[in-house]
Amino acid sequence: MLHKIIQRGIDEQYYAGGICNIWEDGKDYETIALGWANKDREIPMDRSKLFDLASLTKLYTATLVLHHISNKRLSLDDRLGDFKIGPPVIGNVKVRELLLHTSGITSWYPFYNDNQYGKSFEMILNDIDVTKDAKRNEVTYSDLNFMLLRFICECIDARTFEQQIQFILNEIGDDDGGFLLNRPKSEFAATEYGNQIEHEMCKERGLTFSNWRSPEQPIVGHVNDGNAYYFFEGVSGHAGLFGSYKTVSKLGQLYIKGGGSLLDAELVEFLLELNENERTLGFSKSGLFMNGLGHTGFTGTMLYIEPKTKRVITFLANRLHVENPKDMYEIRNEVIHYVR
């Protein structure tokens, strides 16, 4: 049945290919890989393929933040102003609010646009209306929240953010994931044909950019997200991480197992129980995830954790590697409910 659901997604052009893994109470229950990793080059999907994890990167950033909290280097109540990050208007925003997306910070801005050429992240934050269309204490899902968390992590640890995330990956026992992976292109699942979607988003805002990637060929082995690729050179707190289904599943398992040596067990218990505006620290508890917690990524990725059943569902698909990308909610929902 799970095979049929994943295959239907391919047949109905939700994605070119996908991998779905079910882990339950200590063991792999089922792993399915179907379709194309790169349909242009006719490279089939298999279990080893590496995906642009997109916003699942935020979960690794959140885990790093929680690790620092567990080790008393950071507090949920620490504020951006404590680290001299960002303009004064967001100086009182707390780490907790960044993780919960209740910071009142705008959802998205293309830092790479032509008007901002040559400027630093800090300079641009001071240039723009950083609270546009957002209210503090209300949920506005924002990439900027996790860009900012990256810089907090670099303020409290001598290692680069990339090195800190690699530490998290090592601690969960993953050998596949990382930023800026130097691997053959045949090992990656392809994504979008250029940044056509972000191109339109910029046009809607009256902004231009002169260096878009070609829409004639898919993006392979480089991060799809424009801010992560063009501005942050592949490494950011909101996007940029690559990994296999094992990379993602092992992160979910960390929370099922109470945080292991990385996270304080009481902090993990607090995270699992917290439900503030249908969110917890770094994770969503709404819609698809109402019986647990999870996150999705723009490229077609998903992690779902169900603590009651000690189950982790990893579903990675290349939804942008089709002619007309569309929302995957229906297919994801079928996968979660099939397993449940």
Side-chain angles (χ1 to χ4, degrees), residues 30-191:
E30 191 170 4
T31 306
I32 292 171
L34 294 171
W36 297 109
N38 186 328
K39 61 187 179 68
D40 290 34
R41 294 179 59 190
E42 296 188 343
I43 299 173
M45 188 66 73
D46 63 55
R47 297 181 184 187
S48 69
K49 287 294 179 279
L50 299 166
F51 281 76
D52 176 345
L53 299 180
S55 281
L56 294 194
T57 301
K58 295 181 175 75
L59 299 183
Y60 297 84
T61 302
T63 301
L64 176 60
V65 168
L66 296 173
H67 172 67
H68 286 313
I69 292 170
S70 297
N71 285 280
K72 313 301 182 187
R73 299 190 194 102
L74 189 64
S75 161
L76 286 172
D77 292 323
D78 285 343
R79 302 169 189 268
L80 283 170
D82 297 335
F83 307 98
K84 297 181 171 56
I85 295 172
V89 69
I90 59 172
N92 284 327
V93 169
K94 298 179 180 180
V95 169
R96 175 195 303 266
E97 294 171 299
L98 296 172
L99 290 168
L100 289 169
H101 292 286
T102 56
S103 64
I105 293 173
T106 195
S107 62
W108 183 77
Y109 181 81
F111 288 84
Y112 52 83
N113 78 80
D114 290 332
N115 292 340
Q116 305 295 355
Y117 180 77
K119 296 181 183 177
S120 69
F121 180 63
E122 193 73 21
M123 290 171 65
I124 298 171
L125 285 179
N126 280 277
D127 278 353
I128 66 175
D129 181 359
V130 76
T131 61
K132 181 178 173 61
D133 299 325
K135 292 182 180 179
R136 201 168 174 192
N137 300 318
E138 295 182 8
V139 173
T140 299
Y141 179 85
S142 172
D143 282 353
L144 277 70
N145 288 331
F146 280 74
M147 295 175 191
L148 290 161
L149 284 168
R150 173 253 179 103
F151 289 103
I152 289 176
C153 290
E154 290 190 326
C155 281
I156 61 175
D157 193 312
R159 295 170 296 177
T160 66
F161 181 71
E162 183 178 3
Q163 290 169 337
Q164 292 179 57
I165 292 294
Q166 194 61 55
F167 167 77
I168 297 295
L169 293 170
N170 292 343
E171 288 296 302
I172 64 174
D174 178 67
D175 299 321
D176 297 332
F179 293 106
L180 302 170
L181 294 182
N182 185 20
R183 309 275 182 83
K185 288 195 172 185
S186 59
E187 296 184 13
F188 293 91
T191 59

Side-chain angles (χ1 to χ4, degrees), residues 201-253:
M201 291 168 67
C202 286
K203 284 174 63 177
E204 289 167 5
R205 290 162 173 78
L207 297 171
T208 61
F209 181 56
S210 305
N211 199 27
W212 294 110
R213 286 174 281 190
S214 170
E216 300 302 316
Q217 57 187 14
I219 297 166
V220 183
H222 297 283
V223 60
N224 191 91
D225 181 89
N227 277 318
Y229 181 75
Y230 300 114
F231 190 79
F232 290 111
E233 299 182 335
V235 179
S236 184
H238 77 290
L241 198 66
F242 283 79
S244 67
Y245 82 84
K246 293 178 181 178
T247 306
V248 178
S249 181
K250 286 177 179 178
L251 187 74
Q253 293 168 38

Side-chain angles (χ1 to χ4, degrees), residues 172-316:
I172 64 174
D174 178 67
D175 299 321
D176 297 332
F179 293 106
L180 302 170
L181 294 182
N182 185 20
R183 309 275 182 83
K185 288 195 172 185
S186 59
E187 296 184 13
F188 293 91
T191 59
E192 192 179 6
Y193 292 84
N195 286 113
Q196 297 180 64
I197 295 172
E198 283 198 34
H199 194 171
E200 288 302 312
M201 291 168 67
C202 286
K203 284 174 63 177
E204 289 167 5
R205 290 162 173 78
L207 297 171
T208 61
F209 181 56
S210 305
N211 199 27
W212 294 110
R213 286 174 281 190
S214 170
E216 300 302 316
Q217 57 187 14
I219 297 166
V220 183
H222 297 283
V223 60
N224 191 91
D225 181 89
N227 277 318
Y229 181 75
Y230 300 114
F231 190 79
F232 290 111
E233 299 182 335
V235 179
S236 184
H238 77 290
L241 198 66
F242 283 79
S244 67
Y245 82 84
K246 293 178 181 178
T247 306
V248 178
S249 181
K250 286 177 179 178
L251 187 74
Q253 293 168 38
L254 174 73
Y255 288 91
I256 292 290
K257 295 173 181 177
S261 62
L262 266 179
L263 306 178
D264 178 76
E266 290 185 6
L267 181 59
V268 172
E269 185 177 351
F270 172 75
L271 177 149
L272 295 178
E273 292 179 357
L274 180 66
N275 192 334
E276 190 171 315
N277 299 306
E278 298 185 313
R279 299 200 67 87
T280 186
L281 304 174
F283 293 83
S284 172
K285 287 191 166 185
S286 66
L288 291 168
F289 311 126
M290 64 177 63
N291 294 301
L293 61 157
H295 211 292
T296 61
F298 188 69
T299 53
T301 55
M302 182 189 81
L303 171 64
Y304 174 60
I305 304 167
E306 194 169 85
K308 288 182 180 178
T309 58
K310 298 182 179 179
R311 182 179 294 142
V312 176
I313 302 173
T314 302
F315 183 19
L316 308 180

